Amino acid sequence: MNEKERERIKAEMKISGMSCATCALNIEKTLKNTEGVSDAEVNFGSEKAYVEYDPEKVDISAIEGAVQSSGYSVINERVILRVGGMTCAMCVKAIENALMKLDGVRKATVNPGVKLAYVTYNSQVTSVEDMKDAIRSAGYQYIGTEGEDTEDLEKEIFEKDLKEKEIRIIVGFGISLPLMALMLFHVSLPVPMPYFMLAVTVFPFLFLAYPIFLDAWRALRNRTLNMDVMYSMGIGVAYFSSILGTFNIVLTSEFLFYETALMLAAFLTLGRYLEAKAKGRTTEAIRKLIGLRPKTATLIRNGEEIEIPITDVRTGDSVLIKPGGKIPVDGDVLSGESYVDESMISGEPVPVFKHEGDSVIGGTLNKNGVLTVLSKKVGEDTLLSEIIRLVEDAQGSKPPVQRIADTAVSYFIPVVLLIAVIAFLAWYLLLGNTLLFSLNVFISILVVACPCALGLATPTAITVGIGRGAELGILIKNGETLEISEKITTVVFDKTGTLTVGKPVVTDISTYGTGENFLLRIASGLEKNSSHPLAEAIVARAAMAGIEPGDAKHFNTIAGKGVEAISDGKKAIIGNRALMDDSGILIPVSVSSDIEMRENEGKTAMIVAYDDSVAGVISVADTLREDAKAALTALRAMGPEIVMITGDNEKTARAIGSQVGISNIIAGVRPAGKEHEVAKLQESGEIVAFIGDGINDAPAIVRSDVGIAIGSGTDIAIESGDIVLINNNLLDAVGAIQLSKKVMGRIRLNLFWAFAYNAALIPVAAGLLYPVWGITFKPELAGLAMALSSVTVVSLSLLLKRYIPPVRIERVVREEV
């Protein structure tokens, strides 16, 4: 076929980053210069590129790479697929390879712990239907996409798979154990033992080994080596040798492994049964979150209650929630009062009182009252849905530490096969041992080796750890964040709204010749019309004390100094020293000392004068959060350097810093400058975590190695940080770092046991201890050890489900005391 006749493919790509028509021409030129591209057209208006190319010379990934090399980006779509039928670490590679072969798929990551495939692709080139066909062609089950209602189907497939395994296990051990007893006690039978064992085991063996051989065939067809290939060789050699020995073809009747082959197949099935049940428990956290979604909602329309499917609820609907019902939407309470259990979202066990104007979160539980809620976010836009997406994405991510395991797994099976062949030849040809012994060694090596333990070490720990974080109200966005978090050397706190409440309040009131109530009445009367935060703090303090603002008139606001007016027929002033000097009001030495003391504490001292003399001083400040000292004490014990950054002046910043024991303070920094300060710390070699509210300090959070955004309920910005805290609690920031350290520690422990298991038992199976101690590894014991290895790793990961960060335990103890 010549160049012109060869079939060409036309593709469409969405481009971002173009700012003018020249950009479109540059991309077009780059595409046309790419080998294999016959034509390209870029439309600046629609921001799309239309490309015609030869698939034998170039693929869509290379074309997208050419666009990116020009300084622009290709916008791809992302889909999460539910996949069944995975049995070992190499299944992950097989599915990823099958998906990556599709033209248009840029990235495919499979997490065997949650049985999800995360695919980034160009929807103009390939489709979910193509992915479904690729998964099925590779020999695995396509269950559906994330977001579809596949929960019942997934459960049905899972339970059916477990039931089939149970039957195979019963058949395998039910026949192999009695046969082993017959061999052990030399029971005489009316027919020759070899023929009897062949007749008894042939159908059970085919029934038990069929899934193993089928998976091995699929793997070889996909040009991959997996555990099924290795195990099929082991049990296949054992059973085929037995048949040869039965009929004295090459081998003698001493080569009978019928019960061994059957027991090995039963052990593998048992291991996978236990592993499947354990892995099912790793996704409990996400299943609990999904289970929080109510199926229906009760709306109030024209004064009547109407129950409709949750999918039909729209923004602006009035939703009625009765006692004991789940709140189906994010919204605001229109009427009613009740306690709401938000523990499933926030991890906080104490129900929160809600009344008119308060916000509520979908999926939480209404305890005792009737609430009418105005829906603001529904369906996939709710906080619960965002959390579910975030957790699933995070569970599908691969931290750098997993590269070690992935690399090991890719070489593992070829190396084990090589070891098995070398050991067989060495024992039989070089060391002159019997063929029976050498064959036992060969089979034992094949069945004892377990790449699954390596493949499951990281994803199961991440799945359980991130799920546990979600239960505690700590949302960790990816596995890489876990790994970096345990290496943090410097923690930078934004001051306002993070270490402090973020809202000025009256902290001290000093009176001179008047009462406190009188002073508040005069001051609130002067400030009641002002929207300045300091004025609002004084008015709020008066209202809290039940004091009505005094009548004031003839207001005169002096910019940067204060306010003066006539109150109760006399002149009243509130402001700073400069205003008092301008008004000719003498400030006594005792008042000056009081003002200086408050200012040294980082407070703003406002002088109140009435009838030409100082009546009092009201001090206002942004106060420290209740949990700040405890959080910083716990963090300091973990070792990182602690820095506070703020836009406030040095004196105010030092005053707050002294209260919490922070000496390293960067003051007078504008919001945009916070990012620069973080960058400076990174340039000096620090691994920086930045803790802020995720709103005005978003650039610093993004710049930091680990950005921790602290928020509250529906107000939280999910996109803002690497770690997002649902609760407005600073202790959870410490808890997030502690959880990260714990998960990474468990990953290392899992990897250690996975490597140690294979490193210790493969040499034993190869007969390394036989010359000195006469120790050999029977194939049956090798099969048992293999079955338990991956179960051990998954079980170690499951222990994270009960983990509580130490800072949380300390907090509970303090609250009880």
Side-chain angles (χ1 to χ4, degrees), residues 19 239 275 311 316 359 374 429 451 460 539 554 584-585 642 738 765 790:
S19 57
Y239 203 84
E275 184 184 313
T311 51
S359 61
L374 177 67
L429 297 178
T460 54
V539 174
H554 304 307
I585 294 172
I642 298 173
Q738 291 175 338
S790 55

Side-chain angles (χ1 to χ4, degrees), residues 319-587:
V319 184
L320 183 71
I321 304 105
K322 296 178 181 178
K326 286 181 184 175
I327 297 173
V329 296
D330 290 356
D332 295 331
V333 177
L334 289 174
S335 63
E337 294 181 345
S338 182
Y339 282 94
V340 175
D341 181 2
E342 297 182 342
S343 60
M344 59 287 293
I345 300 292
S346 67
E348 293 295 323
V350 181
V352 181
F353 182 70
K354 301 287 183 179
H355 56 82
E356 185 179 342
D358 287 341
S359 61
V360 292
I361 303 170
T364 54
L365 185 66
N366 182 27
K367 298 290 284 184
N368 61 329
V370 177
L371 295 174
T372 302
V373 174
L374 177 67
S375 67
K376 296 178 74 175
K377 291 182 180 179
V378 298
E380 294 302 308
D381 295 327
T382 62
L383 176 64
L384 176 60
S385 294
E386 286 192 74
I387 290 171
I388 290 169
R389 282 196 298 272
L390 187 150
V391 172
E392 286 183 331
D393 287 353
Q395 289 178 337
S397 64
K398 291 184 178 182
V401 71
Q402 191 168 343
R403 293 174 196 153
I404 302 169
D406 287 346
T407 303
V409 167
S410 65
Y411 290 106
F412 184 87
I413 294 173
V415 169
V416 170
L417 288 172
L418 186 63
I419 291 170
V421 171
I422 291 172
F424 173 81
L425 295 175
W427 281 112
Y428 186 59
L429 297 178
L430 298 180
L431 301 175
N433 222 305
T434 65
L435 181 60
L436 180 63
F437 178 86
S438 304
L439 206 56
N440 263 307
V441 167
F442 180 77
I443 295 168
S444 295
I445 293 171
L446 291 179
V447 299
V448 80
C450 186
C452 287
L454 285 170
L456 291 168
T458 301
T460 54
I462 285 176
T463 299
V464 178
I466 287 175
R468 180 57 180 153
E471 290 175 344
L472 296 169
I474 300 168
L475 305 180
I476 300 170
K477 286 193 173 178
N478 54 63
E480 188 174 358
T481 297
L482 287 169
E483 190 162 345
I484 298 172
S485 293
E486 70 156 2
K487 300 174 183 175
I488 291 167
T489 58
T490 299
V491 178
V492 180
F493 284 89
D494 182 42
K495 181 188 79 72
T496 306
T498 303
L499 287 174
T500 63
V501 175
K503 185 178 180 181
V505 295
V506 173
T507 57
D508 306 276
I509 299 174
S510 303
T511 59
Y512 301 96
T514 63
E516 188 174 300
N517 289 355
F518 175 80
L519 188 70
L520 281 173
R521 191 175 76 83
I522 296 298
S524 61
L526 291 169
E527 300 283 26
K528 63 184 177 183
N529 297 322
S530 174
S531 59
H532 193 283
L534 298 180
E536 289 176 346
I538 291 171
V539 174
R541 176 61 180 267
M544 190 168 65
I547 298 168
E548 287 289 331
D551 292 327
K553 54 188 178 181
H554 304 307
F555 285 90
N556 181 26
T557 301
I558 299 94
K561 294 183 179 181
V563 178
E564 59 184 22
I566 301 299
S567 180
D568 294 339
K570 296 181 180 180
K571 188 176 182 180
I573 305 172
I574 185 168
N576 55 23
R577 293 173 191 257
L579 181 56
M580 298 301 140
D581 291 342
D582 292 346
S583 303
I585 294 172
L586 180 66
I587 302 175

Side-chain angles (χ1 to χ4, degrees), residues 683-704:
E683 287 166 8
S684 66
E686 300 294 323
I687 297 173
V688 181
F690 188 96
I691 303 175
D693 58 17
I695 301 170
N696 60 9
D697 46 24
I701 284 180
V702 171
R703 165 66 67 179
S704 63

Side-chain angles (χ1 to χ4, degrees), residues 182-201:
L182 288 177
M183 295 285 286
L184 186 64
F185 297 108
H186 305 290
V187 178
S188 60
L189 299 170
V191 295
M193 181 66 78
Y195 294 106
F196 173 78
M197 295 188 78
L198 174 61
V200 170
T201 61

Side-chain angles (χ1 to χ4, degrees), residues 645-646 666 668-680 690 696 699-700:
I645 192 166
T646 179
I666 306 171
V669 182
R670 293 178 178 273
K674 293 176 184 179
E675 178 187 7
H676 176 66
E677 295 297 334
V678 169
K680 280 171 61 179
F690 188 96
N696 60 9

Side-chain angles (χ1 to χ4, degrees), residues 57-111:
K57 287 188 173 182
V58 68
D59 60 19
I60 197 69
S61 295
I63 294 170
E64 289 184 11
V67 173
Q68 290 168 347
S69 68
S70 302
Y72 305 93
S73 300
V74 177
I75 300 172
N76 286 309
E77 293 185 34
R78 193 164 183 266
V79 66
I80 302 175
L81 310 175
R82 295 194 174 276
V83 183
M86 287 184 277
T87 56
C88 75
M90 296 308 293
C91 295
V92 171
K93 190 173 179 62
I95 296 168
E96 288 177 348
N97 288 345
L99 290 169
M100 288 300 294
K101 284 178 184 176
L102 294 173
D103 203 16
V105 172
R106 290 303 311 272
K107 184 180 179 183
T109 304
V110 176
N111 185 334

